[in-house]
Amino acid sequence: MKKSALSIIPLGGLGEIGKNMTAIKYQDQILVIDCGLAFPEEDMMGIDLVLPDYAYLVENREKLLAVVLTHGHEDHIGGLPYFLRQINVPIYGSRLALGLVERKLKEHGMDRQAALNSVNPRDIIEIGSFKVEFIRVSHSIPDAMALAIHTPVGTLVHTGDFKIDHTPIDGDVLDLHRFASLGEQGVLVLLSDSTNVEKEGYTFSERLVGNSFDEYFREASDRIIIATFASNIHRLQQAIITAHKYGRQVAVAGRSMVNVITVASELGYLNIPEGTLISLDEVDKLPSNKVLVLTTGSQGEPMSALTRMAYGEHRQFGVLPGDTVIISAMPIPGNEKTVSRIINQLFKLGANVIYEGDSEVHVSGHPSREELKLMLNLIRPQYFIPVHGEYRMLMKHAQLAQELGIPQENIFVGEIGQVFELTKEKGRISGRVPAGRVLVDGLGVGDVGNIVLRDRREMAQEGILIVVITLDKETHQVLAGPDIISRGFIYVRESEALIEETKVKVTSALQRCTHQGKCGWTYIKAAIKSELSKFLFERTRRRPMILPIIMEIEKK
Amino acid sequence: MKKSALSIIPLGGLGEIGKNMTAIKYQDQILVIDCGLAFPEEDMMGIDLVLPDYAYLVENREKLLAVVLTHGHEDHIGGLPYFLRQINVPIYGSRLALGLVERKLKEHGMDRQAALNSVNPRDIIEIGSFKVEFIRVSHSIPDAMALAIHTPVGTLVHTGDFKIDHTPIDGDVLDLHRFASLGEQGVLVLLSDSTNVEKEGYTFSERLVGNSFDEYFREASDRIIIATFASNIHRLQQAIITAHKYGRQVAVAGRSMVNVITVASELGYLNIPEGTLISLDEVDKLPSNKVLVLTTGSQGEPMSALTRMAYGEHRQFGVLPGDTVIISAMPIPGNEKTVSRIINQLFKLGANVIYEGDSEVHVSGHPSREELKLMLNLIRPQYFIPVHGEYRMLMKHAQLAQELGIPQENIFVGEIGQVFELTKEKGRISGRVPAGRVLVDGLGVGDVGNIVLRDRREMAQEGILIVVITLDKETHQVLAGPDIISRGFIYVRESEALIEETKVKVTSALQRCTHQGKCGWTYIKAAIKSELSKFLFERTRRRPMILPIIMEIEKK
């Protein structure tokens, strides 16, 4: 029985939004779906990005056949430069996804190490015992694909990120027929996108955004600036077409926007009318009603072009009174305040800012409840695993599936690292593999752990107070110090009295140790710490990190 | 002309949500409206709360006549314990607002220092040249009042925080007739709440929440937990009444909830049926369908009762599968992630969590656009100053007023510290007084400034690396060290090689200094800093704060 089971092992994307990665195992063959990254939570101080912990795959590297990609978003491909450093394995994905992967690997100096195999919708690739079929879906990046993985146990359908856009910009509607036919033939298990399960109804078509652009372009008499996600190429296309219609030339700001536009144009995903693109430097030479600027920064990223524009710190471009700034995005949870601050700043510069709310300048790339129902009813899977969502979203998606008739015992709301073992007869959680998060900080992958983060948080809250003393190694007599250095606690120059008192406390703690004959470093340090933390809390109601440093010298 | 002008000087609440405080000046008399606090932004690390900078009032204390309060929310009364320490001045406000102030002063050990004068709606108090009239409004705390301040120059109307609730819980509708009559008599200037100017239509009545409570109570077969703002006494009242109706007893969790319920019951604002209240400890003795728990923590505050319940850390109460948890609040911008995490945790415990979206368990306390229009058209002021909002809200409120016919030159979108000088003939910004924010951290008021915050942020991002050396004062020979201590940078035990190399770098920097005959501390420290920051960035791509400490001793 164990031999013939199919195991599904999510390593990321369950109980979280981001770092999507799922392993599919049959006998001694493993296939991986996506290899994404996540952006740090606000308590992960100083962390640049977060990877899934894929130790399980590294350990089983000889079983690993390939990584198949659903689409080119960071939370699905961003982990590859790190993953491929440890395991060289072929990658399958759309031309666009692979184009973005290639650029990424180049940036990491890993150009062309991996075998990148491009696939098209309805392609079927045989990888070991797996027949992997790619199925067109709509999403906020072109060429997103769901997967139907035909295995000896049955067919697994993974939707990837999707929405059902009946009027997509490229004309290619989600492959309803293929999903219908799979459902008709019988599907063992469905893994489906849970991001928007809390939203009733249908997600609007991307075309709505184009219509709104048109209205704002028609009204605007000065320059227009649109901030959106660089990877939303259909939206960029709509903005460029609209600019062209209204006789505006287009300048691009922000590194990732420039990069994506380059890759997408080269690969033919973006159609830019001849002579439309100009450089940011040329904007000032044109009349203000002849300009569109496409920029990054729709999430208020601190170093992004839009942020620098809002604070008047962009070298090449300044927002002027009368400019229309369209923020064509919703703040990702956690970014609301930053985005809000940027909007305020832009208003202060005299811009007319169009943002979320009734402005219809953004639509989601994920399916709302009616689309989720349609997918569930098309596929009619034996087992259902909601993926791509925080715990509450997985729960709501599970409830939805139950309402549509999937028995509760066939629905698995799981956690990363859990092994879902499925046969035609039975589905169960059969075990657990290591899973979690690996923090990347600069060049360090995984070297910032809980202790380092805890220290950062502690120092961030109340700062640090350092006590340095030099002692005679023999007599334990104080040769220099105590010196007190503080950072982030109080401004020492304005708190001389407190510092002097602190020194007295240190000296008395030291004396107490010496009198008790307890001259070990550990003991002295603990004594100083406890004395000072009590004293400083009483005097300031703050608890800085206290760091006693003792140097010993032989005074001969 | 100058003598007869009325000056309005906002010291908080413009360009921000929070720390509301406005000074009204006529000749040498100053009246202050509200004295609030704000909660720290996420980049104000370790800060407990934020006060308006009221240095201008301290400087002009002999002119200060009184503080009048619009209502008892923290962002309108929270600054008083600090303000009253510097200036003793009579306070006017509703019984509830004063009850909350009194409790606050008691907590600060300042009980009964201030003269607290309670007023009722339609009361008119003469304070110097000002006749201050209190006018009933609806808001998310009982007894909120707008102010009509009659001055020799004309009448100023300050709405305070308000909404127009036609079916308020206490039956007392906003005093439409008084606003109408003021408008009829002529108002010089209106200051009006801009919080919800981005919301179309009308804000729903508080009664809607009661109806939703009733539905959820009818359906729930296990315990119900409602998290809401402690000060929303009408909502607590509705929860308690509904509990009573369905035979549930009520336990209260969270210090501020206990406090407010105590004050509100004593003052008669809260009607709790005999025998309804039980202590949290008694909950376990009752059948699960006989319990309602009212708790703090609707904003996901880390130390709140709900947060502790969600993480299973509450000493007296644990959430069980089947419990219904109603989060009767919207996350305040910046709190979305934290609240979302709590909801996920509660789902993991098996609770049925009801939260924002379509659940109708929360309504705002602020007016939407239609209510703002009504207020503007009732008052028909000569001048208009939108208040209580971020910059973009003030701008939108100004646009709204213009659409209703107030001339642009009579509308002032201002900043804190600006002096708006008004006469019947002319309104202008005549100058500026000091204004800004004062940070409170523990007992320190204003001692955490930009340098300390910058250090906290720097250490939070990449940690700190401390280098200690003891030198011979005469020969500058190294007697001990270099020792390297690091916190929040790397975990030293796992990075011994890097630490050893760092020591070598320090020694070579030192030697270079000695060879060049540059043995001053400042020079040596700078040399170590620059050497190490370069070296560590190359090796780790991180920039920890580098702190060289040099001790000197005379070795004789």
Side-chain angles (χ1 to χ4, degrees):
Chain A
M1 145 112 187
K2 176 121 197 174
K3 268 225 167 117
S4 64
L6 179 71
S7 295
I8 299 168
I9 310 165
L11 295 171
L14 257 65
E16 62 187 346
I17 299 279
K19 70 180 176 68
N20 297 285
M21 188 172 204
T22 308
I24 312 294
K25 183 167 171 284
Y26 176 72
Q27 292 177 343
D28 59 352
Q29 301 183 345
I30 298 177
L31 186 70
V32 171
I33 302 172
D34 290 334
C35 179
L37 58 74
F39 295 100
E41 305 271 313
E42 72 278 17
D43 62 344
M44 299 179 194
M45 291 174 162
I47 296 304
D48 300 323
L49 49 96
V50 184
L51 300 174
D53 180 350
Y54 38 69
Y56 168 75
L57 298 175
V58 175
E59 211 165 287
N60 292 281
R61 61 169 79 202
E62 76 291 343
K63 297 180 185 146
L64 192 63
L65 303 177
V67 176
V68 291
L69 303 175
T70 57
H71 62 287
H73 275 154
E74 287 290 344
D75 56 334
H76 295 258
I77 67 166
L80 279 176
Y82 302 90
F83 186 69
L84 291 176
R85 229 172 266 163
Q86 296 194 261
I87 309 178
N88 199 348
V89 69
I91 314 286
Y92 295 85
S94 71
R95 280 193 312 132
L96 179 61
L98 296 182
L100 294 169
V101 168
E102 211 174 332
R103 189 173 58 84
K104 229 171 228 308
L105 295 178
K106 201 175 259 168
E107 277 176 3
H108 281 257
M110 299 168 63
D111 199 16
R112 303 267 67 180
Q113 278 178 23
L116 304 179
N117 307 290
S118 84
V119 291
N120 290 308
R122 293 236 176 170
D123 278 358
I124 300 181
I125 311 288
E126 212 157 315
I127 307 175
S129 310
F130 305 108
K131 283 206 188 72
V132 183
E133 184 182 351
F134 295 83
I135 307 168
R136 177 185 306 285
V137 295
S138 295
H139 188 42
S140 44
I141 186 170
D143 274 4
M145 296 189 281
L147 305 169
I149 303 178
H150 306 281
T151 80
V153 187
T155 297
L156 173 153
V157 173
H158 190 302
T159 63
D161 295 8
F162 79 104
K163 67 188 275 188
I164 301 177
D165 190 337
H166 291 291
T167 53
I169 303 310
D170 58 9
D172 292 319
V173 176
L174 170 138
D175 194 344
L176 287 164
H177 307 87
R178 196 57 205 131
F179 284 110
S181 147
L182 285 164
E184 188 72 21
Q185 286 154 27
V187 168
L188 180 73
V189 56
L190 172 68
L191 287 74
S192 180
D193 178 355
S194 311
T195 317
N196 275 357
V197 67
E198 293 171 305
K199 303 232 162 81
E200 292 293 341
Y202 271 93
T203 302
F204 288 117
S205 170
E206 180 65 30
R207 212 165 280 270
L208 178 78
V209 177
N211 296 342
S212 304
F213 282 173
D214 197 280
E215 275 178 48
Y216 290 113
F217 274 68
R218 205 183 317 133
E219 288 166 16
S221 51
D222 284 308
R223 303 176 313 173
I224 300 178
I225 297 116
I226 297 182
T228 191
F229 298 102
S231 60
N232 200 328
I233 292 160
H234 287 151
R235 193 162 303 168
L236 300 182
Q237 182 70 76
Q238 295 197 91
I240 291 167
I241 294 295
T242 315
H244 189 64
K245 175 177 167 189
Y246 288 95
R248 289 179 184 256
Q249 289 192 279
V250 181
V252 181
R255 198 173 60 95
S256 67
M257 189 66 86
V258 172
N259 281 340
V260 170
I261 287 183
T262 308
V263 172
S265 309
E266 281 169 15
L267 297 177
Y269 287 93
L270 195 58
N271 173 21
I272 305 178
E274 190 76 23
T276 303
L277 274 190
I278 55 170
S279 87
L280 256 190
D281 293 320
E282 297 174 89
V283 164
D284 284 345
K285 296 179 199 147
L286 291 173
S288 64
N289 64 348
K290 295 293 171 207
V291 174
L292 165 66
V293 177
L294 292 175
T295 180
T296 55
S298 60
Q299 292 299 318
E301 302 91 333
M303 302 301 292
S304 69
L306 185 67
T307 304
R308 282 180 286 136
M309 289 175 193
Y311 288 94
E313 289 163 1
H314 198 284
R315 275 185 310 112
Q316 298 165 288
F317 187 82
V319 172
L320 298 175
D323 285 355
T324 297
V325 181
I326 300 177
I327 299 182
S328 175
M330 274 281 286
I332 292 169
N335 294 347
E336 293 88 349
K337 276 289 250 193
T338 331
V339 174
S340 159
R341 234 174 271 138
I342 304 244
I343 295 171
N344 285 321
Q345 278 302 121
L346 291 167
F347 268 113
K348 279 186 197 165
L349 297 176
N352 178 28
V353 194
I354 315 294
Y355 51 101
E356 50 165 328
D358 294 333
S359 57
E360 302 191 335
V361 287
H362 175 71
V363 296
S364 172
H366 297 276
S368 302
R369 289 175 75 84
E370 290 305 316
E371 289 153 277
L372 294 174
K373 289 181 196 167
L374 181 54
M375 182 59 79
L376 279 159
N377 273 338
L378 278 173
I379 298 296
R380 298 185 300 195
Q382 183 178 349
Y383 302 106
F384 176 57
I385 305 177
V387 296
H388 206 286
E390 296 178 24
Y391 189 82
R392 66 172 196 273
M393 303 167 190
L394 305 182
M395 278 296 292
K396 299 227 152 177
H397 203 176
Q399 284 165 6
L400 190 72
Q402 226 183 307
E403 287 167 24
L404 299 191
I406 301 183
Q408 193 178 356
E409 63 273 21
N410 286 3
I411 301 173
F412 299 95
V413 173
E415 290 171 18
I416 55 172
Q418 282 181 334
V419 180
F420 303 95
E421 202 182 78
L422 308 179
T423 64
K424 285 218 159 59
E425 292 71 39
K426 192 163 175 264
R428 64 185 188 111
I429 293 173
S430 68
R432 193 178 266 283
V433 305
R437 64 188 195 197
V438 173
L439 306 182
V440 178
D441 184 2
L443 294 182
V445 178
D447 65 338
V448 170
N450 289 333
I451 295 174
V452 171
L453 277 187
R454 191 201 57 204
D455 285 347
R456 286 184 187 176
R457 275 194 288 266
E458 200 178 327
M459 292 188 294
Q461 284 305 304
E462 309 275 21
I464 188 169
L465 186 119
I466 303 160
V467 182
V468 199
I469 320 163
T470 305
L471 297 180
D472 185 312
K473 200 167 186 178
E474 299 300 309
T475 63
H476 304 294
Q477 189 201 333
V478 175
L479 299 179
D483 280 7
I484 307 285
I485 299 101
S486 141
R487 287 288 182 281
F489 167 49
I490 41 168
Y491 193 48
V492 172
R493 282 185 206 168
E494 289 172 2
S495 316
E496 279 172 22
L498 186 70
I499 297 298
E500 284 314 310
E501 282 182 79
T502 306
K503 286 185 185 173
V504 172
K505 290 286 170 188
V506 173
T507 308
S508 72
L510 264 176
Q511 281 167 351
R512 224 175 306 127
C513 293
T514 324
H515 288 162
Q516 296 170 2
K518 291 172 175 169
C519 302
W521 281 20
T522 326
Y523 190 84
I524 294 178
K525 283 184 183 177
I528 292 175
K529 250 186 176 166
S530 102
E531 180 86 19
L532 289 194
S533 74
K534 205 175 124 233
F535 166 69
L536 292 173
F537 184 72
E538 270 169 18
R539 291 294 298 276
T540 67
R541 282 290 179 277
R542 300 181 201 166
R543 300 194 186 279
M545 177 185 283
I546 294 166
L547 195 61
I549 302 172
I550 297 170
M551 306 203 85
E552 284 186 337
I553 64 175
E554 298 182 56
K555 202 190 178 196
K556 274 170 207 162
Chain B
M1 146 117 186
K2 176 121 195 168
K3 270 227 164 113
S4 62
L6 178 70
S7 295
I8 300 169
I9 309 165
L11 295 171
L14 257 64
E16 62 187 347
I17 300 279
K19 66 179 177 70
N20 297 286
M21 188 171 205
T22 308
I24 311 293
K25 182 165 172 284
Y26 178 74
Q27 291 180 344
D28 58 349
Q29 301 185 346
I30 299 177
L31 186 69
V32 171
I33 302 172
D34 291 334
C35 180
L37 58 75
F39 295 102
E41 305 273 311
E42 73 277 18
D43 61 343
M44 299 180 195
M45 292 175 159
I47 296 303
D48 300 324
L49 51 94
V50 184
L51 300 175
D53 179 349
Y54 38 69
Y56 168 75
L57 297 175
V58 174
E59 212 164 286
N60 293 280
R61 60 170 78 205
E62 77 290 345
K63 298 180 183 145
L64 192 64
L65 304 178
V67 176
V68 292
L69 304 175
T70 57
H71 63 286
H73 275 154
E74 286 291 348
D75 57 334
H76 294 257
I77 67 167
L80 279 176
Y82 303 89
F83 185 70
L84 291 176
R85 230 172 264 161
Q86 296 195 262
I87 309 179
N88 200 348
V89 68
I91 315 283
Y92 295 85
S94 72
R95 280 193 312 131
L96 179 60
L98 295 181
L100 294 170
V101 168
E102 208 172 337
R103 189 173 58 83
K104 226 167 232 307
L105 295 178
K106 201 176 258 167
E107 278 176 3
H108 280 258
M110 299 167 60
D111 200 17
R112 301 268 69 176
Q113 279 178 20
L116 304 180
N117 308 290
S118 84
V119 291
N120 289 309
R122 294 233 175 173
D123 278 359
I124 299 180
I125 311 287
E126 213 156 318
I127 308 175
S129 310
F130 305 107
K131 282 204 187 76
V132 184
E133 184 181 351
F134 294 82
I135 308 169
R136 177 185 306 282
V137 295
S138 295
H139 188 42
S140 43
I141 186 169
D143 275 4
M145 296 188 282
L147 304 169
I149 303 179
H150 306 280
T151 80
V153 187
T155 298
L156 174 153
V157 173
H158 189 304
T159 63
D161 295 7
F162 79 104
K163 67 189 277 192
I164 301 177
D165 190 338
H166 291 291
T167 54
I169 304 310
D170 57 9
D172 291 321
V173 177
L174 170 139
D175 194 343
L176 287 165
H177 308 87
R178 195 59 201 127
F179 284 110
S181 143
L182 285 164
E184 187 74 20
Q185 286 154 26
V187 169
L188 180 72
V189 57
L190 171 68
L191 287 71
S192 179
D193 179 353
S194 311
T195 316
N196 275 357
V197 68
E198 294 171 303
K199 304 233 164 81
E200 291 294 339
Y202 271 93
T203 302
F204 288 118
S205 169
E206 181 64 31
R207 211 164 281 271
L208 177 79
V209 178
N211 296 341
S212 304
F213 283 172
D214 196 279
E215 276 179 48
Y216 290 111
F217 274 70
R218 205 183 317 133
E219 288 167 17
S221 51
D222 285 309
R223 306 178 309 174
I224 298 177
I225 297 115
I226 296 180
T228 193
F229 299 101
S231 59
N232 199 329
I233 291 160
H234 288 150
R235 192 162 302 169
L236 300 181
Q237 181 70 76
Q238 295 197 91
I240 291 166
I241 293 297
T242 315
H244 189 65
K245 173 177 168 188
Y246 288 95
R248 289 178 185 258
Q249 288 193 282
V250 181
V252 181
R255 197 173 59 95
S256 67
M257 189 69 86
V258 172
N259 280 340
V260 170
I261 287 182
T262 308
V263 172
S265 311
E266 281 171 12
L267 297 178
Y269 287 92
L270 196 59
N271 172 21
I272 306 178
E274 190 79 22
T276 302
L277 274 190
I278 56 170
S279 88
L280 256 189
D281 293 321
E282 296 174 88
V283 164
D284 285 344
K285 296 178 199 150
L286 291 173
S288 64
N289 63 351
K290 295 290 171 211
V291 173
L292 165 67
V293 176
L294 292 175
T295 178
T296 55
S298 60
Q299 291 300 317
E301 302 91 331
M303 303 302 292
S304 68
L306 184 68
T307 302
R308 283 181 284 137
M309 289 175 193
Y311 288 93
E313 289 164 4
H314 197 282
R315 278 184 308 113
Q316 296 165 289
F317 185 82
V319 172
L320 298 174
D323 285 355
T324 297
V325 181
I326 299 175
I327 300 183
S328 176
M330 273 283 284
I332 291 168
N335 293 347
E336 294 88 348
K337 277 290 251 190
T338 333
V339 173
S340 161
R341 235 174 270 138
I342 303 247
I343 294 170
N344 285 320
Q345 279 300 121
L346 292 166
F347 267 112
K348 280 187 197 165
L349 296 175
N352 178 26
V353 193
I354 315 294
Y355 50 101
E356 49 163 332
D358 294 334
S359 57
E360 302 191 332
V361 287
H362 175 70
V363 297
S364 171
H366 297 275
S368 301
R369 288 176 75 84
E370 290 306 316
E371 289 153 276
L372 293 175
K373 289 180 196 168
L374 181 54
M375 183 59 78
L376 278 159
N377 272 338
L378 278 173
I379 298 296
R380 297 185 301 193
Q382 182 178 351
Y383 301 106
F384 175 57
I385 304 176
V387 297
H388 207 287
E390 296 178 22
Y391 188 81
R392 65 171 195 275
M393 303 165 191
L394 305 183
M395 277 296 293
K396 299 223 153 178
H397 204 175
Q399 285 164 6
L400 191 71
Q402 225 183 309
E403 287 167 24
L404 299 191
I406 300 183
Q408 193 179 353
E409 63 272 20
N410 284 4
I411 301 173
F412 298 96
V413 172
E415 290 170 19
I416 54 171
Q418 283 181 332
V419 180
F420 303 95
E421 201 182 79
L422 308 179
T423 63
K424 283 216 161 62
E425 292 72 37
K426 194 163 173 271
R428 64 185 189 114
I429 294 173
S430 68
R432 193 177 267 284
V433 306
R437 63 192 196 193
V438 173
L439 307 182
V440 179
D441 183 1
L443 294 183
V445 179
D447 66 339
V448 170
N450 288 334
I451 295 174
V452 170
L453 276 186
R454 193 202 55 205
D455 286 346
R456 286 184 187 176
R457 275 195 289 265
E458 200 178 329
M459 292 188 294
Q461 283 305 303
E462 309 276 19
I464 188 169
L465 185 118
I466 303 161
V467 181
V468 200
I469 320 162
T470 305
L471 297 179
D472 184 308
K473 201 168 184 174
E474 300 298 310
T475 66
H476 305 294
Q477 191 200 333
V478 175
L479 298 178
D483 280 7
I484 308 286
I485 299 103
S486 142
R487 286 290 183 278
F489 168 47
I490 42 169
Y491 193 46
V492 172
R493 282 184 206 170
E494 289 171 1
S495 315
E496 278 171 24
L498 186 69
I499 297 296
E500 284 314 309
E501 283 184 76
T502 306
K503 285 184 185 172
V504 172
K505 289 285 170 189
V506 173
T507 308
S508 73
L510 263 176
Q511 280 165 352
R512 223 174 307 130
C513 292
T514 324
H515 287 158
Q516 296 171 359
K518 290 171 174 168
C519 303
W521 281 22
T522 327
Y523 191 84
I524 294 178
K525 283 184 183 177
I528 293 175
K529 250 187 177 168
S530 104
E531 180 86 17
L532 289 192
S533 72
K534 205 175 126 235
F535 166 70
L536 293 172
F537 184 71
E538 267 167 22
R539 291 295 298 277
T540 65
R541 282 289 178 281
R542 299 181 202 166
R543 300 191 185 281
M545 178 186 280
I546 294 167
L547 196 61
I549 303 174
I550 297 169
M551 307 204 82
E552 285 186 337
I553 62 175
E554 296 181 55
K555 197 189 180 199
K556 276 171 208 162

